[in-house]
Amino acid sequence: MDDQYTAARNTPVDLKELTEAAFFFAGLPEETLEKLVNHVVMRNHPANQVILLENDWGGSVYFILDGWVKIRTYNQDGKEVTLNILGRGEVFGEMAAMDEVPRSTDVITLTPTKISSIPAQDFLKIVNTEPAAGVRLAQLMAKRLRQVNRRLRLREADSVSRVVDTLLFLAEGQGKLVEEGGIEIPNLPHRELSSLSGLARETVTRVLTKLEKKGLIQREHHILGIPDVSALEKILN
């Protein structure tokens, strides 16, 4: 079921690339990694490609080596809700594998994305036999819980604070450091930022324009730059 929605191109497995990009694998015994590599599949996906659909059964666990995906569901009115944006180094599909239940969300690429996957049983074997892997999985869960708590606290804040928090949330999780000391994140469509922040798209557009005029963000094609993260954080204080 996992693969019927993907129209991706398989690529050779590069063990070094896998361990450098996927935090989960870093530091695991070489013997374990060499056995695992025979079960790893790497694929390049185009933007706007469905990787998983809600209610699929979890046959694999996925690791993002490059690019961005969104985690999506729908509310009771049938409106799309973006729950999270994940990028390089992140894992998804692990909950269905561990609980042996159907997927609870959709996963769709936002940019051209390179993803590796391993069978769920191999993932569970590593978690159960390698203490370091279990610790990393716990750290991932803790990080996501902190992010959710932070966003919930700001649900009653003003629109500027909510947009700023969304940008900082993305920068904290997947921001790319640049030579000038700033951070770059993908310049996501305003509908995605709207869903993440819980604001109307028009409101998000107005706030981004205001932030850009103040020099707090810089937008160019597919990149949104934050030249000074601390200056943006002051808005929340």
Side-chain angles (χ1 to χ4, degrees):
M1 292 290 292
D2 289 337
D3 298 331
Q4 68 175 319
Y5 305 107
T6 60
R9 179 170 56 85
N10 286 14
T11 61
V13 176
D14 185 329
L15 188 56
K16 182 180 179 182
E17 179 184 17
L18 180 67
T19 55
E20 288 181 351
F23 171 72
F24 178 81
F25 295 110
L28 293 184
E30 187 174 342
E31 181 181 356
T32 299
L33 293 172
E34 289 177 350
K35 290 180 180 178
L36 178 67
V37 75
N38 295 323
H39 302 277
V40 175
V41 176
M42 288 191 179
R43 292 190 175 99
N44 286 310
H45 299 269
N48 302 313
Q49 179 74 57
V50 175
I51 307 299
L52 298 176
L53 284 178
E54 188 174 350
N55 295 321
D56 282 350
W57 284 92
S60 297
V61 178
Y62 301 82
F63 302 86
I64 305 172
L65 305 185
D66 193 30
W68 291 66
V69 304
K70 71 174 178 178
I71 311 299
R72 177 186 72 181
T73 190
Y74 293 89
N75 62 19
Q76 292 182 342
D77 298 324
K79 182 180 178 181
E80 179 180 320
V81 178
T82 300
L83 298 176
N84 206 346
I85 305 288
L86 303 179
R88 176 182 169 90
E90 292 275 8
V91 57
F92 62 89
E94 78 289 347
M95 292 178 61
M98 296 180 69
D99 292 341
E100 297 183 349
V101 295
R103 310 285 186 188
S104 59
T105 57
D106 301 340
V107 180
I108 303 170
T109 59
L110 289 171
T111 63
T113 306
K114 188 172 187 178
I115 295 175
S116 68
S117 65
I118 61 173
Q121 60 268 28
D122 291 314
F123 173 79
L124 293 175
K125 183 178 180 180
I126 293 175
V127 171
N128 288 326
T129 58
E130 298 292 345
V135 170
R136 291 196 181 96
L137 185 60
Q139 290 172 332
L140 170 67
M141 297 297 107
K143 173 185 174 183
R144 290 183 181 172
L145 181 59
R146 286 195 303 272
Q147 290 173 337
V148 170
N149 288 339
R150 172 178 167 179
R151 292 171 63 193
L152 287 175
R153 287 197 302 269
L154 281 165
R155 279 294 177 177
E156 302 304 319
D158 62 88
S159 58
V160 174
S161 295
R162 288 164 70 175
V163 172
V164 167
D165 179 69
T166 299
L167 296 179
L168 291 172
F169 160 73
L170 295 172
E172 176 186 315
Q174 307 302 332
K176 178 182 177 182
L177 293 174
V178 293
E179 292 181 359
E180 294 79 9
I183 291 181
E184 290 182 349
I185 61 175
N187 189 16
L188 298 176
H190 291 186
R191 66 176 180 273
E192 304 295 350
L193 297 177
S194 168
S195 187
L196 278 171
S197 62
L199 296 167
R201 183 165 55 180
E202 294 78 9
T203 302
V204 170
T205 299
R206 287 198 300 271
V207 173
L208 290 175
T209 300
K210 183 184 298 185
L211 294 175
E212 189 170 28
K213 288 181 177 178
K214 291 182 176 180
L216 294 171
I217 64 171
Q218 300 168 345
R219 291 181 287 175
E220 184 176 353
H221 302 298
H222 302 298
I223 298 297
L224 187 151
I226 304 175
D228 187 346
V229 174
S230 61
L232 201 59
E233 288 176 336
K234 288 179 181 178
I235 294 178
L236 302 179
N237 298 329

